[in-house]
Amino acid sequence: MVSIYRRSSMIVHQEQPLNAGPTPDILRQAITTPQEHFFVRTHGTVPNIDPADYRLTVTGLLSTPLQLTLDDLHQNFPIVEISATLQCAGLRRDELLAIAPIEDELPWGLEAISNATWRGVPLRAVLEAVEVDSQAEHVEFCGLDSVQKGGRDVGFGASIPLAKALSEEVLLAYEMNGEPLTPTHGFPLRVIVPGYIGARSVKWLGAIKLQRYPSTNHFQSRAYKLFPPHVQAPTADWESARALTDLPLNSVICQPHMDEVLPSGPTIVRGYALTGAGHTIQRVELSCDGGTSWTPASIVARQSSWSWCFWESTVHLHSGRHQLVVRATDCSDYAQPADLAQQWNFKGYLNHAWHRVNLRVL
Ligand SMILES: Nc1nc2c(c(=O)[nH]1)N[C@H]1C(S)=C(S)[C@@H](COP(=O)(O)O)O[C@H]1N2
Ligand SMILES: [Mo]
């Protein structure tokens, strides 16, 4: 694949399919991530779709099935814009990998996240047009990409509860930061489910289905579910585990980076913080002594309740070894958990423990 990315600014976990994200200092430069730095998470192929031939089908438990062209979407529905952060459930898996092995998953660090302004049609407007039956409880999204698993094409699909699908924030997006979606981000149409894990924001959207049950696609039924630390892959009961929806409260330090060597004196510490479920960040606190004492950091940029915020703090460090720690608290007074080991799960999802960075000051 020909890629537009400046390799020096990206951490590339896999070339085919492309899985990459910006280095933490690049990530922390702009509250709206430019396309060229926006992280990419791809499970299979990048389909090559001719916009003139493109059709979106809407079927299932509804009165009026629809087949929509891109022109139909542009001309016959309301158009809205929303700033929202996309985060992969695998963010910060590298820290969990240091505790115990995690099979067949990418070792994402702080870079599986980005923020954009999305423009498109509210999903709700399309669901109103098809007249959804009262038995429908879930909305399934099917991607047009091929994903090989165990020698067959399982495709990429996901579903969200009907109540979330009817909320005003869920979009069928065709633009990102004022430009058409790029092929890697889902051209010509993708779902954006603000506040949910990235896997529900299906790219290259081909079909929407109204159904009584969640999607049976591999990526809804056999991935993106959370298990406690003691469960291992062979004993996992996938049927009864809950599918991941909302992103957890999280905050990280982007600068300085792990094991950086710094001169003594003032150091600016910078990072991002976010939370799902439409909550907002109330407070970000920083510790320079491994979590014993804390001082508040300043929130320096914030866009919408569906977007991350940027924080910073200046600390004065004397020579020696230090551990910086960050933690956030949301508007319902929920604080990030301290213990990384309690976060371990055999798929390596949703690590949101206090983030720690070790430094040596000269
Ligand atoms: N069709 C399709 N949609 C998809 C995926 C995919 O592989 N195929 N990856 C998902 C995952 S796991 C994430 S985190 C986001 C990433 O979106 P991005 O590549 O635009 O950052 O897309 C989601 N939508
Ligand atoms: Mo993801």
Side-chain angles (χ1 to χ4, degrees), residues 18-20 38-45 47 86-90 108 112-114 118 142-145 147 155-157 176 184-186 190-192 197-205 219 224:
L18 182 63
N19 283 290
F38 203 100
F39 88 103
V40 178
R41 173 70 180 110
T42 321
H43 287 88
T45 58
L86 268 192
Q87 187 218 295
C88 183
W108 292 106
I113 185 169
S114 298
W118 309 93
C142 307
L144 294 167
D145 45 341
V147 185
F156 190 92
M176 177 180 181
T184 43
H185 294 298
R190 76 173 301 167
V191 187
I192 292 294
I197 61 161
R200 309 305 179 217
S201 290
V202 174
K203 304 194 272 191
W204 313 291
L205 181 66
F219 293 98
Y224 299 113

Side-chain angles (χ1 to χ4, degrees), residues 54-70:
Y54 175 80
R55 300 288 180 277
L56 170 67
T57 61
V58 191
T59 59
L61 299 171
L62 46 81
S63 304
T64 328
L66 280 183
Q67 198 182 49
L68 300 169
T69 63
L70 288 172

